[in-house]
Amino acid sequence: MKFATRLLHNGNEIDPETGAASIPLYQTSTFHQSDLDHPGSYDYGRSGNPTRHALEQTLAELEGGCRGFAFASGMAAISTVLLLFSEGDRLIVSEDLYGGTYRLLTKVLPRLGIRADFVDTTDLDRVEASIGPDTRGIYIETPSNPTLKVTDLRGVSRLAKDHGLLTLVDNTFLTPCLQRPLEWGADLVIHSATKFISGHSDVVSGAVVVREKELAEEIAFLQNTLGSILGVQDSWLTLRGLKTLNARMAAAEAAADRIARELGRIPEVRQVYYTGLEDHPGHRLQAAQADGHGAVLSFDLGSEEMSRKVLSRVQLPLVAVSLGAVESILSWPARMSHAAMPREERLNRGVTDGLLRLSVGLEDPGDLLEDLEGAIRGRRIVSAGMEGRASVL
Ligand SMILES: *Cc1c(COP(=O)(O)O)cnc(C)c1O
């Protein structure tokens, strides 16, 4: 069956106890044990909960893994997973990395003796050259944030396997709807389910899906030990959001493609980053390893002044951190996600003061384009009903 069907019919969508078409909120912390010698599937809410379990099994099915885990946030998932490693271990990590993961790897894990080597993982030779005697894993984001560099999932997974390393992939930007890293040989997939998986800017959640049973048991042990679980209400909300993932992705991706092309025709826009554009350096690889290009694009306006102008003029997108929601979200990486990165390093990675990242939502793409173009070219178009919205910056 195709992804769109499996999203809704995967064996976890109906409550086995009652037949309810929406998995109930099992709002409980513990479970009565009527048979002391044969405890049921659940004993305590940190270790397992039926609502959370339905979400976890659905995610495992969609990513093609043996087991899924729902976490309190994307960062809770990442923190838990990285505690698979021990003092003295080193990780090779994509240099374009989500800011929170960068912070964890540079400020917290070194205290435990776990160190990261940041590498341009789009270059497999460099990845291989960086593997040392203490390297234990390769951690990648593809496409990366915010310039959407594409890493070869099969190539990296093969290298890792040859050297006995784990391959870990943050798949937040594309979701299993468009990219399934486990199929290319990765060992473990991570999500900020706050983004496209939930999709409605109403819940913070995270997920991990693991390919092999042995590693799944290690994650289960860590999650239960650390207590980094997703709550029952948020599990329900994430399951509810997930049901429309395919429809949301398809509409947002089509709009993103159109917007990327049209933005490229505006003289004030110096560069557009979107893997769907044929001249993006990762275009062909992306087309080969993913089923689409997603709904996130970035564009460079050349200066901080232009960024401020556009961010304060746009009427439709939220001006905010985050992405992957039904409403479009416009972010300023230099001042938001990458603010903590030293300026030189940030500029080297193309994250200039004029770069804006757009997560395309479900608005009419023509309206979005008109709003963006008006903001860029200095025409302030105030649509009906939007007059009262305060400028943010
Ligand atoms: C948002 C995000 C995270 C962190 O997830 P939270 O749910 O905010 O904790 C990790 N990776 C990527 C790529 C993200 O966009």
Side-chain angles (χ1 to χ4, degrees):
M1 277 189 292
K2 296 282 196 297
F3 186 85
T5 311
R6 288 195 291 121
L7 196 54
L8 298 164
H9 304 280
N10 50 60
N12 306 292
E13 69 275 17
I14 295 170
D15 177 41
E17 289 300 317
T18 62
S22 161
I23 299 293
L25 283 150
Y26 283 94
Q27 192 68 53
T28 183
S29 63
T30 192
F31 300 82
H32 177 63
Q33 299 183 27
S34 46
D35 182 340
L36 291 175
D37 295 320
H38 303 95
S41 315
Y42 301 100
D43 56 10
Y44 184 58
R46 170 157 40 72
S47 318
N49 172 285
T51 312
R52 193 173 92 225
H53 192 234
L55 170 64
E56 294 176 329
Q57 285 300 108
T58 303
L59 290 168
E61 158 69 20
L62 297 175
E63 284 282 7
C66 78
R67 190 160 167 191
F69 301 89
F71 286 90
S73 66
M75 285 316 303
I78 294 165
S79 307
T80 302
V81 159
L82 291 181
L83 288 178
L84 285 167
F85 300 98
S86 304
E87 187 179 7
D89 290 352
R90 301 192 77 93
L91 298 169
I92 291 173
V93 181
S94 296
E95 60 180 8
D96 288 334
L97 199 66
Y98 176 72
T101 312
Y102 181 79
R103 192 163 54 215
L104 176 68
L105 284 164
T106 55
K107 300 268 198 284
V108 179
L109 291 178
R111 295 203 319 244
L112 309 179
I114 301 165
R115 292 181 200 281
D117 297 303
F118 294 96
V119 175
D120 176 0
T121 53
T122 65
D123 182 342
L124 287 181
D125 293 337
R126 273 203 228 176
V127 175
E128 183 155 35
S130 309
I131 298 173
D134 298 326
T135 307
R136 295 286 177 267
I138 306 182
Y139 184 104
I140 57 177
E141 284 179 25
T142 180
S144 70
N145 179 19
T147 57
L148 306 171
K149 286 188 184 163
V150 183
T151 292
D152 180 347
L153 285 167
R154 179 163 53 182
V156 162
S157 304
R158 267 199 196 142
L159 263 182
K161 190 156 274 167
D162 289 349
H163 290 83
L165 316 176
L166 281 183
T167 306
L168 315 135
V169 182
D170 182 332
N171 201 27
T172 299
F173 269 42
L174 292 180
T175 81
C177 181
L178 298 179
Q179 177 169 277
R180 290 164 302 279
L182 301 185
E183 290 177 0
W184 296 113
D187 298 292
L188 184 149
V189 169
I190 300 168
H191 285 280
S192 168
T194 312
K195 317 292 168 55
F196 289 101
I197 285 185
S198 295
H200 293 70
S201 299
D202 55 8
V203 60
V204 172
S205 65
V208 168
V209 177
V210 180
R211 192 153 56 93
E212 308 256 342
K213 196 158 168 274
E214 203 175 311
L215 187 59
E217 273 161 20
E218 286 186 59
I219 298 292
F221 172 81
L222 283 172
Q223 188 190 42
N224 191 37
T225 301
L226 298 167
S228 43
I229 53 159
L230 187 63
V232 180
Q233 299 264 351
D234 289 346
S235 295
W236 187 88
L237 268 173
T238 304
L239 257 179
R240 151 82 177 235
L242 183 58
K243 291 183 185 187
T244 54
L245 176 65
N246 194 69
R248 286 186 284 108
M249 267 293 182
E253 185 183 11
D257 187 79
R258 176 170 161 202
I259 291 169
R261 287 171 204 281
E262 297 280 336
L263 282 176
R265 299 197 181 100
I266 300 175
E268 288 84 351
V269 176
R270 306 278 174 89
Q271 192 167 354
V272 180
Y273 299 91
Y274 182 62
T275 64
L277 299 177
E278 292 72 13
D279 61 359
H280 186 286
H283 173 74
R284 289 182 56 183
L285 179 55
Q286 174 78 9
Q289 69 183 14
D291 296 334
H293 298 281
V296 179
L297 59 97
S298 299
F299 53 99
D300 200 328
L301 294 164
S303 68
E304 172 174 345
E305 190 196 347
M306 273 298 283
S307 289
R308 285 185 184 276
K309 215 159 82 173
V310 171
L311 289 164
S312 60
R313 278 182 181 151
V314 285
Q315 305 279 320
L316 292 177
L318 282 181
V319 175
V321 294
S322 201
L323 56 102
V326 287
E327 62 279 334
S328 294
I329 300 178
L330 189 61
S331 334
W332 191 10
R335 294 303 155 93
M336 295 176 177
S337 55
H338 290 62
M341 191 175 277
R343 187 181 154 79
E344 242 354 81
E345 210 165 313
R346 175 164 67 72
L347 293 179
N348 280 342
R349 291 171 194 188
V351 186
T352 63
D353 296 326
L355 189 79
L356 298 184
R357 186 189 74 198
L358 179 68
S359 166
V360 179
L362 301 182
E363 301 90 345
D364 178 83
D367 285 344
L368 279 174
L369 267 168
E370 190 177 294
D371 186 31
L372 284 168
E373 185 166 3
I376 293 167
R377 310 208 76 177
R379 277 181 281 119
R380 196 185 174 103
I381 302 162
V382 180
S383 330
M386 301 299 288
E387 299 89 342
R389 190 158 145 193
S391 93
V392 186
L393 293 162

